[in-house]
Amino acid sequence: SNYQRLEWIGDAVLCLAAREWCYKYFPSFTVKNLVTIETILICNETLARVALSSGLHRHILHCDSTLPGRLESYTFEIEDECQGIWATDPPKVLADVVEALIGVAHIDGGLAQGQRAAKNAISSMIGAVKDHFANSDQKE
């Protein structure tokens, strides 16, 4: 069956989890700066990296004959760490599947479980954001 409904609800749960974390962790930041941080946490590049690093990409059922080649190219791009994840063009299905799994956690376990799943999915990026922004002056 189609995972798009789960992806849709998972996207909303992920956005709420990221926004709540940003709001609590950076109490003096402006909305503009909170949106920047939220975007870093929930963007396709971040979620695709989550899918790849967890091995989730190996379990995606698809009929797209180009996907294996695009996954291989993306894997190569990620392994070339000097360009960073934002210099990549990941297959969108990677982020979609992460969002769908967050949606499953939400539907099956409720809001608290969905939020935990979302925060767990982006935990490595949350750590990087904490390190990067903790001492910055982003309050204006």
Side-chain angles (χ1 to χ4, degrees), residues 14 18 36-54 74 78 84-92 94-96 98-99 102 118-129:
L14 177 63
T36 299
I37 296 168
E38 175 195 10
T39 301
I40 291 166
L41 293 174
I42 67 170
C43 69
N44 287 334
E45 291 83 0
T46 295
L47 298 180
R49 179 68 186 253
V50 167
L52 192 70
S53 65
S54 68
Y74 176 65
I78 287 295
I85 66 171
W86 289 277
T88 64
D89 185 24
K92 175 99 170 61
L94 294 173
D96 293 348
V98 171
E99 289 173 339
I102 292 168
K119 288 177 185 168
N120 184 53
I122 60 174
S123 63
S124 64
M125 189 55 71
I126 284 175
V129 165

Side-chain angles (χ1 to χ4, degrees), residues 15-41:
C15 287
L16 180 59
R19 284 182 179 193
E20 184 176 350
W21 179 81
C22 290
Y23 183 84
K24 289 179 179 178
Y25 195 80
F26 299 107
S28 61
F29 281 23
T30 64
V31 171
K32 177 183 176 186
N33 291 312
L34 293 173
V35 168
T36 299
I37 296 168
E38 175 195 10
T39 301
I40 291 166
L41 293 174

